[in-house]
Amino acid sequence: MTEQRTKGLTYAEAGVDIDAGNRLVDMIKPLVRSTARAGAEAEIGGFGGVFDLKRAGFDDPVLIAATDGVGTKVKIAIETGRHGTIGIDLVAMSVNDLVVQGAEPLFFLDYFACGVLRPEIAAEVVAGIAAGCREAGCALIGGETAEMPGLYQPGDYDLAGFAVGAAERGRLLPRGDVVAGDALLGIASSGVHSNGFSLLRKVAERSGARWDEPAPFDPSLTLGEAVLAPTRIYVRSCLAAIRETGAVKALAHITGGGFPDNIPRVLPAGLGARLALTEVPVLPVFRWLAAAGGIAEGEMLRTFNCGIGMVAVVEPAKVDAVAAVLAREGERVVRLGEIVPCPAGAPRVVYDGRLALAD
């Protein structure tokens, strides 16, 4: 009986290395500590993360939660071996969804799933997550690493993130006073962000473009480097505009579904948006996608952000004040359009002009 026990299978022989997981925890502890903020010490190793709302300075807070991943953008990170910024994308996709509700992100948790845990790669991903948390002002207070051989191929991994924010009661967005005539400001994106990558990868495959070759739209970068540009985090700039001007009525994060699906989510019934497409600062990557993939303008508008990552609904008299705060915080801002009446059954978003998709 003793001999049979000594020859029994181990967890490591089944493909799960507990020691590698413990080594990863030790590697990322300094990264996690770097995200500490009022309300959280940002230490890991316990069974759950702790956050003190009172220490964060809230009097009567409402909590808002968001969760997301990065889609098939992670596949490009794996194929190129560039893991350093995909964690920023993970944070951005959730915290941008919090700020559109007027919430300050407080803390973040991540989930890293893989076939074979390589601590160095996982630590590189977590370094990006920590960088995103510092930029958003939230603490990384916990996470989970799951090694699942047989479900994921060796070398593959996937990510999910979970963020919680807070706003004082009565200060949530969208406000209830959005009316026809309100102005729409567009805040520029940093690239493709984290939506539409299944289509982007199909365009690259059909056009013969390779991740390690110069990008057709920017020869100073490889295609992989160019399309992995991390999602812009709008938290600090948008919170500053909300708090300093009191004129931001609503915000829409332009993710999957683009303008036509995301802007109506923050508008009351009976109202829509009229956008001036000529004002959209179309980035070179979107011109390449449209040309190389033969993608129609309507499909571009519903799949990609096309150069605008966030849209703000603003009191008309304070447009300049809001734009000035956003610009001071490093954003490129354009006057994108206005809120208009929308009869029942009519499109909620209508357009003037065309996107500048041709050089």
Side-chain angles (χ1 to χ4, degrees), residues 59 195 202 306 327 342 345 349:
D59 295 320
N195 294 101
K202 182 64 70 174
C306 293
C342 180
V349 179

PDB file of all heavy atoms in Angstrom, residues 59 195 202 306 327 342 345 349:
ATOM      1  N   ASP A  59     -19.400  60.145   1.580  1.00  0.00           N
ATOM      2  CA  ASP A  59     -20.374  60.356   2.646  1.00  0.00           C
ATOM      3  C   ASP A  59     -21.581  59.424   2.513  1.00  0.00           C
ATOM      4  O   ASP A  59     -21.959  58.752   3.456  1.00  0.00           O
ATOM      5  CB  ASP A  59     -20.851  61.815   2.644  1.00  0.00           C
ATOM      6  CG  ASP A  59     -19.736  62.784   2.971  1.00  0.00           C
ATOM      7  OD1 ASP A  59     -18.922  62.468   3.860  1.00  0.00           O
ATOM      8  OD2 ASP A  59     -19.660  63.835   2.322  1.00  0.00           O
ATOM      9  N   ASN A 195     -12.134  46.551 -29.215  1.00  0.00           N
ATOM     10  CA  ASN A 195     -13.322  46.013 -29.887  1.00  0.00           C
ATOM     11  C   ASN A 195     -13.067  45.885 -31.382  1.00  0.00           C
ATOM     12  O   ASN A 195     -12.338  46.680 -31.967  1.00  0.00           O
ATOM     13  CB  ASN A 195     -14.530  46.930 -29.664  1.00  0.00           C
ATOM     14  CG  ASN A 195     -14.948  46.975 -28.214  1.00  0.00           C
ATOM     15  OD1 ASN A 195     -14.637  47.917 -27.502  1.00  0.00           O
ATOM     16  ND2 ASN A 195     -15.632  45.936 -27.757  1.00  0.00           N
ATOM     17  N   LYS A 202      -9.191  39.221 -39.274  1.00  0.00           N
ATOM     18  CA  LYS A 202      -9.608  38.677 -40.571  1.00  0.00           C
ATOM     19  C   LYS A 202      -9.072  39.539 -41.710  1.00  0.00           C
ATOM     20  O   LYS A 202      -8.621  39.017 -42.743  1.00  0.00           O
ATOM     21  CB  LYS A 202     -11.129  38.602 -40.626  1.00  0.00           C
ATOM     22  CG  LYS A 202     -11.688  38.012 -41.913  1.00  0.00           C
ATOM     23  CD  LYS A 202     -11.270  36.551 -42.095  1.00  0.00           C
ATOM     24  CE  LYS A 202     -11.956  35.658 -41.083  1.00  0.00           C
ATOM     25  NZ  LYS A 202     -11.665  34.214 -41.333  1.00  0.00           N
ATOM     26  N   CYS A 306     -13.547  54.297 -34.600  1.00  0.00           N
ATOM     27  CA  CYS A 306     -13.231  55.158 -35.746  1.00  0.00           C
ATOM     28  C   CYS A 306     -12.464  56.428 -35.372  1.00  0.00           C
ATOM     29  O   CYS A 306     -12.275  57.310 -36.210  1.00  0.00           O
ATOM     30  CB  CYS A 306     -14.494  55.536 -36.517  1.00  0.00           C
ATOM     31  SG  CYS A 306     -15.272  54.125 -37.343  1.00  0.00           S
ATOM     32  N   ALA A 327      -9.099  69.210 -22.480  1.00  0.00           N
ATOM     33  CA  ALA A 327      -7.839  69.480 -23.177  1.00  0.00           C
ATOM     34  C   ALA A 327      -6.692  69.636 -22.178  1.00  0.00           C
ATOM     35  O   ALA A 327      -5.577  69.150 -22.407  1.00  0.00           O
ATOM     36  CB  ALA A 327      -7.976  70.726 -24.046  1.00  0.00           C
ATOM     37  N   CYS A 342     -36.224  62.605 -31.634  1.00  0.00           N
ATOM     38  CA  CYS A 342     -36.206  61.351 -32.399  1.00  0.00           C
ATOM     39  C   CYS A 342     -37.578  60.686 -32.296  1.00  0.00           C
ATOM     40  O   CYS A 342     -37.938  60.156 -31.229  1.00  0.00           O
ATOM     41  CB  CYS A 342     -35.124  60.420 -31.867  1.00  0.00           C
ATOM     42  SG  CYS A 342     -35.015  58.849 -32.743  1.00  0.00           S
ATOM     43  N   GLY A 345     -39.427  54.780 -33.540  1.00  0.00           N
ATOM     44  CA  GLY A 345     -39.132  53.944 -34.694  1.00  0.00           C
ATOM     45  C   GLY A 345     -38.066  54.492 -35.616  1.00  0.00           C
ATOM     46  O   GLY A 345     -37.597  53.786 -36.513  1.00  0.00           O
ATOM     47  N   VAL A 349     -29.436  57.497 -33.984  1.00  0.00           N
ATOM     48  CA  VAL A 349     -28.232  58.247 -34.353  1.00  0.00           C
ATOM     49  C   VAL A 349     -28.245  58.468 -35.853  1.00  0.00           C
ATOM     50  O   VAL A 349     -28.373  57.516 -36.634  1.00  0.00           O
ATOM     51  CB  VAL A 349     -26.944  57.497 -33.943  1.00  0.00           C
ATOM     52  CG1 VAL A 349     -25.693  58.289 -34.358  1.00  0.00           C
ATOM     53  CG2 VAL A 349     -26.921  57.246 -32.432  1.00  0.00           C
TER      54      VAL A 349
END
